[in-house]
Amino acid sequence: MKNNRYILLSLAFIALAVNYVKAQLPSYNTRIKLLYQQINNKLRDSTEGLYYETSDKAKNENKHSYLWPLCAYIQAANEMEVIDPSKDYMQPVEKAIDQYYTDKLPFAGYQASVTKEKPDSRFYDDNQWVAIAYLDAYNRNHKKRYLEKSEMICRYMLGGLDTVAGGGFYWNEGDKSSKNTCSNGPGILVLLQLYNITHNKAYLNTALDVYKWVNKTLQAPDSIYYDNIRLRDLKIGKAKITYNLGTMLQSNVLLYHITKDHKYLGVAEGIAKAGRKYFFKKGRLPGGYWFNAVMLRGYQELYKVDGNKDWVNFYQEDADAIWNTERDANNMLGTKPERSLIDQAAMIEIYARLQELK
């Protein structure tokens, strides 16, 4: 009897302690404001209208950030505007991204580094992430430039689509050694969003072709997605990363909305269950905040359809753990001494999406 009473008291104490810790956590809105402030304080070059890769300039490869962290930050800026439409968070990031533009033939697009600083490679996925953020913005505010830039990016990315290995987009314009889920999942999303806006059937048909190719070529038996196919020998790179699952999860939900075919919703739910089981271990998601932010996009879309809180609760648990255990004295997040732009942007996106879901 005493042992049972002790166990019950212990469980009650633990529950009280957990609730106390949760009560002490700042709101998602507060966390977003703190992170946004530190990006402007420590990671923005206001003179050039550009951003730094990390807070330690001595460790940065370039004077200013690669485009990839700005892919995260432009989406984060969009999500901040979702929860606070009175502000214009996107414009300064958009102006920075404009400095990566190149009209190099055969199609204009954005390169990996600031154009005036050095010539660099162009990656199809970098361009696609920007287009996804711009299309999300266009669906909110109908600013024409966001649609026009997204259509420009789509023309660029379609230049990276062919029938080698059966189909799919390349990853790097200048290196045709692989086709990756990270350039095909977001490519599908760009095409589906453009179809929703323009009703041009060619966008939908191409999206379906790429969707079928990814599922045939790069989906594992457990419904998680592999990373890439190497083209010289068709060997599959079997790394499993959260963002690859996220884009394909979101693609299925969008296809459900477009076609009204419940098979896509069933596939989405299967992918979501597999992803949560595979990636969420001991109360945490794997490292890589931005990869996880992209995966949240898919879970958020599914949650809006079926209202299943399982798709949200584990993200809340991980996001709170990050704030509690991976935050420095300046309220910047990360696991390295130097704090990176992509990490701060990713967590802004995650907290903003969780705020919206509340």
Side-chain angles (χ1 to χ4, degrees):
M1 185 68 71
K2 286 183 178 180
N3 286 339
N4 288 341
R5 188 180 302 166
Y6 175 77
I7 291 170
L8 289 171
L9 286 171
S10 297
L11 290 172
F13 176 78
I14 291 169
L16 286 170
V18 169
N19 288 332
Y20 175 78
V21 169
K22 286 183 177 179
Q24 300 307 303
L25 283 173
S27 69
Y28 294 136
N29 276 328
T30 298
R31 296 181 226 183
I32 290 165
K33 288 175 183 176
L34 290 169
L35 291 169
Y36 178 67
Q37 181 181 43
Q38 291 308 317
I39 286 175
N40 286 324
N41 287 345
K42 299 184 180 299
L43 294 169
R44 185 162 190 258
D45 180 349
S46 57
T47 303
E48 297 282 349
L50 290 164
Y51 294 83
Y52 302 115
E53 191 89 3
T54 76
S55 57
D56 188 344
K57 295 177 186 176
K59 292 186 178 180
N60 296 340
E61 292 183 38
N62 298 326
K63 180 181 178 182
H64 293 104
S65 168
Y66 283 111
L67 178 61
W68 182 34
L70 294 181
C71 299
Y73 195 27
I74 192 65
Q75 188 72 51
N78 178 73
E79 304 316 312
M80 285 192 285
E81 289 188 21
V82 169
I83 59 176
D84 188 358
S86 66
K87 300 289 179 62
D88 189 355
Y89 293 108
M90 292 186 70
Q91 189 176 30
V93 192
E94 182 185 355
K95 286 184 175 179
I97 290 171
D98 286 344
Q99 297 192 53
Y100 295 73
Y101 174 83
T102 168
D103 58 3
K104 174 184 172 184
L105 294 175
F107 302 103
Y110 299 102
Q111 66 168 36
S113 299
V114 177
T115 306
K116 68 184 179 183
E117 293 178 359
K118 69 175 186 180
D120 206 346
S121 301
R122 300 196 299 186
F123 292 85
Y124 293 109
D125 65 327
D126 282 358
N127 283 261
Q128 291 159 347
W129 302 123
V130 172
I132 288 168
Y134 285 169
L135 288 166
D136 286 347
Y138 179 80
N139 285 324
R140 281 189 304 105
N141 57 35
H142 301 289
K143 291 180 180 178
K144 191 176 179 181
R145 71 178 186 273
Y146 289 131
L147 178 58
E148 290 173 341
K149 288 182 176 181
S150 298
E151 289 175 324
M152 178 269 291
I153 289 170
C154 187
R155 288 191 292 272
Y156 166 72
M157 79 172 192
L158 287 172
L161 178 68
D162 64 20
T163 59
V164 174
F169 291 104
Y170 293 98
W171 174 48
N172 181 343
E173 179 185 16
D175 178 5
K176 295 189 174 182
S177 62
S178 71
K179 293 183 174 181
N180 297 45
T181 307
C182 74
S183 53
N184 283 276
I188 295 167
L189 293 174
V190 172
L191 291 162
L192 292 178
Q193 288 218 57
L194 284 171
Y195 171 74
N196 270 332
I197 294 166
T198 67
H199 306 294
N200 182 341
K201 198 70 178 290
Y203 288 134
L204 177 59
N205 291 338
T206 305
L208 286 170
D209 287 343
V210 177
Y211 170 86
K212 291 171 185 174
W213 179 83
V214 173
N215 287 326
K216 178 182 178 181
T217 309
L218 291 169
Q219 189 175 27
D222 63 359
S223 295
I224 313 294
Y225 288 84
Y226 295 132
D227 185 64
N228 68 80
I229 180 169
R230 188 169 66 189
L231 298 180
R232 74 168 184 264
D233 55 8
L234 303 185
K235 182 179 180 180
I236 301 296
K238 293 190 175 182
K240 295 176 179 179
I241 310 172
T242 51
Y243 73 153
N244 288 329
L245 182 135
T247 56
M248 294 307 296
L249 171 56
Q250 189 176 3
S251 294
N252 276 283
V253 180
L254 292 185
L255 281 168
Y256 164 70
H257 287 305
I258 290 167
T259 66
K260 312 303 180 187
D261 190 333
H262 277 77
K263 76 178 181 183
Y264 292 112
L265 185 58
V267 171
E269 289 172 343
I271 292 171
K273 289 175 184 176
R276 187 183 188 282
K277 179 180 178 181
Y278 184 87
F279 290 116
F280 189 62
K281 304 289 188 183
K282 298 180 180 179
R284 293 302 305 271
L285 287 165
Y289 301 160
W290 181 74
F291 295 134
N292 299 337
V294 174
M295 187 168 76
L296 177 56
R297 301 174 195 177
Y299 279 101
Q300 182 182 21
E301 290 290 345
L302 182 57
Y303 175 76
K304 288 177 180 178
V305 176
D306 67 14
N308 185 349
K309 290 187 177 180
D310 286 346
W311 312 142
V312 179
N313 290 342
F314 74 101
Y315 261 96
Q316 293 173 335
E317 188 174 344
D318 183 66
D320 287 347
I322 289 169
W323 189 262
N324 281 330
T325 65
E326 297 171 9
R327 175 169 49 95
D328 67 14
N330 294 313
N331 289 312
M332 299 183 79
L333 299 171
T335 57
K336 296 180 180 179
E338 66 278 11
R339 298 314 204 198
S340 68
L341 175 59
I342 196 168
D343 280 350
Q344 312 319 303
M347 291 311 302
I348 286 176
E349 179 181 346
I350 288 173
Y351 291 134
R353 290 185 183 276
L354 292 176
Q355 176 64 34
E356 183 187 351
L357 289 170
K358 287 180 68 177

